[in-house]
Amino acid sequence: MKQLVIRDSNENVIAKVSKVLFCSTEDTLANANTLSFTTLLEGGLERMREEMRYTVEFENDLYDIVSFKKSMSGNLCFIEISCEHVSYRLNDKKLEMYSKTGTVKDVLAGLLEGTGFNPSSEELPREVTYSSQTSGTVRAVLLDFAGSFGYEVVFHRYTVSLVPHRGEAKDTKILNGNVLEINKSINVNDGTVSYTLRVKPKCPIDVGDEVHLVYERLGASMTMSVSWALREFSTLILKQDSLRALTIARRIIR
């Protein structure tokens, strides 16, 4: 069974939550990654204090709690918690005109120096020279560096990976039978087309995957990338996704 494990800044477990009223994660190809949930104010959550920092472990990843709200309705007390992936901490450190020559992994390691984050173990032997054009946060410079050389960034806990393609590169076909709801958006200025879908929970696709959408009633038969995913977990028991919303569009690295 899935659990949300809340810890304080000293790594002490404050609470373990397996029953929720609402829980969702939002993930995008542009590296936005958030978690939010609502549950009963019990089991240690009532001891959470405004001046303390807390992290949440969920699905083997880590999130910082950025806000929480306690409320009462009838005889029940609730807490609503909003989180950001720990990689957002890279926004707290500024870099001034970073420049380095070396392998991709060397440049990545230099960017992450002193942040508490580490490059993944994969070898990236390609030799590059990178110079940031302006000062910025480590996270912003990191994303610019990756995009400059055709990489995409994957954050997992305190590890940063650069990959040529996030998600499955081989097309996964989405047929009418997997789609519960679909919206087609057309930008008349540049002609770009995107689709937002609600698909069945076990439809095996995630952010970055290349998908071949086949939906005859909208005249859709094309290959695009999943650029945004919202996963809503079944209420009361965190056992699986209950519904998944996706946006697919043409892939843009830069």
Side-chain angles (χ1 to χ4, degrees), residues 2 26 52 60 64-65 99 137 149 167 221 231 235 239 249:
K2 297 180 185 293
E26 186 172 353
M52 294 290 291
N60 196 34
D64 286 323
I65 293 179
S99 180
T137 67
F149 296 98
S221 179
R231 300 164 63 210
T235 56
K239 56 183 178 180

Side-chain angles (χ1 to χ4, degrees):
M1 181 183 298
K2 297 180 185 293
Q3 275 192 328
L4 296 145
V5 181
I6 296 91
R7 295 183 175 89
D8 63 19
S9 55
N10 296 317
E11 294 296 315
N12 298 312
V13 175
I14 300 300
K16 294 182 178 180
V17 177
S18 57
K19 296 182 179 180
V20 295
L21 301 173
F22 169 81
C23 179
S24 72
T25 62
E26 186 172 353
D27 190 12
T28 75
L29 199 54
N31 291 109
N33 191 349
T34 59
L35 163 72
S36 60
F37 60 96
T38 301
T39 188
L40 292 174
L41 187 61
E42 60 183 16
L45 293 172
E46 67 276 10
R47 298 196 301 271
M48 290 179 62
R49 305 195 307 272
E50 292 84 351
E51 68 273 15
M52 294 290 291
R53 296 283 187 176
Y54 300 94
T55 59
V56 178
E57 183 174 5
F58 183 58
E59 294 193 312
N60 196 34
D61 216 338
L62 295 173
Y63 301 82
D64 286 323
I65 293 179
V66 294
S67 68
F68 61 90
K69 180 174 72 173
K70 299 177 181 179
S71 60
M72 183 177 71
S73 179
N75 294 322
L76 295 176
C77 293
F78 304 92
I79 185 167
E80 300 174 34
I81 296 178
S82 298
C83 312
E84 294 175 339
H85 192 266
V86 291
S87 62
Y88 281 60
R89 296 180 189 180
L90 295 173
N91 287 325
D92 297 335
K93 183 176 180 181
K94 303 290 185 180
L95 282 177
E96 298 292 336
M97 304 295 289
Y98 179 79
S99 180
K100 189 175 180 67
T101 296
T103 66
V104 171
K105 190 169 184 177
D106 289 339
V107 178
L108 176 59
L111 282 169
L112 298 176
E113 186 176 356
T115 64
F117 289 78
N118 298 294
S120 62
S121 59
E122 288 85 3
E123 291 299 324
L124 298 166
R126 177 182 172 189
E127 291 281 339
V128 297
T129 296
Y130 173 73
S131 296
S132 60
Q133 300 303 307
T134 59
S135 60
T137 67
V138 171
R139 199 171 195 272
V141 175
L142 170 60
L143 295 176
D144 179 73
F145 164 62
S148 296
F149 296 98
Y151 292 99
E152 293 175 349
V153 183
V154 178
F155 297 106
H156 179 69
R157 299 176 78 96
Y158 298 106
T159 299
V160 181
S161 302
L162 298 185
V163 296
H165 188 290
R166 184 180 174 187
E168 290 290 335
K170 183 179 179 181
D171 296 350
T172 299
K173 185 171 288 187
I174 303 181
L175 303 174
N176 297 17
N178 291 322
V179 178
L180 301 173
E181 180 183 322
I182 183 169
N183 294 288
K184 180 179 181 180
S185 299
I186 304 170
N187 187 318
V188 296
N189 292 321
D190 58 16
T192 57
V193 177
S194 63
Y195 296 85
T196 300
L197 321 173
R198 282 192 175 270
V199 297
K200 292 182 178 179
K202 294 185 179 180
C203 190
I205 51 179
D206 212 337
V207 172
D209 290 353
E210 298 293 328
V211 297
H212 182 197
L213 176 65
V214 180
Y215 206 86
E216 297 173 357
R217 294 181 63 182
L218 289 181
S221 179
M222 59 189 67
T223 299
M224 293 182 169
S225 301
V226 179
S227 59
W228 170 83
L230 174 69
R231 300 164 63 210
E232 297 174 343
F233 293 83
S234 54
T235 56
L236 298 183
I237 300 177
L238 285 166
K239 56 183 178 180
Q240 63 178 22
D241 304 358
S242 61
L243 201 60
R244 178 177 290 191
L246 305 164
T247 295
I248 60 175
R250 296 294 182 192
R251 196 180 202 92
I252 301 175
I253 294 179
R254 289 282 302 198

